[in-house]
Amino acid sequence: TGQSKEILYIVVNKQELSMLKKIIRSCDKKAFVIVHDVRDVFGEGFVDISK
């Protein structure tokens, strides 16, 4: 559309994905959602990047 949009990028584990989809559906039934498998996630709450 050429219009600016806000994007929420979130990383969850497989066990959390089902709950996340329910939350998204309850907030916005027309939400556009992409699910990717990732190998590693570094940062707070995940793997320490210095390792």
Side-chain angles (χ1 to χ4, degrees):
T1 65
Q3 296 178 354
S4 296
K5 301 282 183 182
E6 290 186 0
I7 296 175
L8 173 64
Y9 190 89
I10 184 170
V11 177
V12 297
N13 62 38
K14 289 181 182 180
Q15 293 77 25
E16 296 170 318
L17 183 56
S18 176
M19 180 57 71
L20 177 61
K21 290 193 291 186
K22 289 178 184 177
I23 293 168
I24 293 168
R25 194 177 317 118
S26 72
C27 295
D28 183 355
K29 289 185 177 14
K30 295 182 179 181
F32 183 79
V33 179
I34 300 172
V35 178
H36 287 277
D37 288 330
V38 295
R39 183 175 160 208
D40 294 311
V41 178
F42 300 101
E44 186 175 341
F46 296 93
V47 177
D48 186 345
I49 198 163
S50 63
K51 291 184 180 181

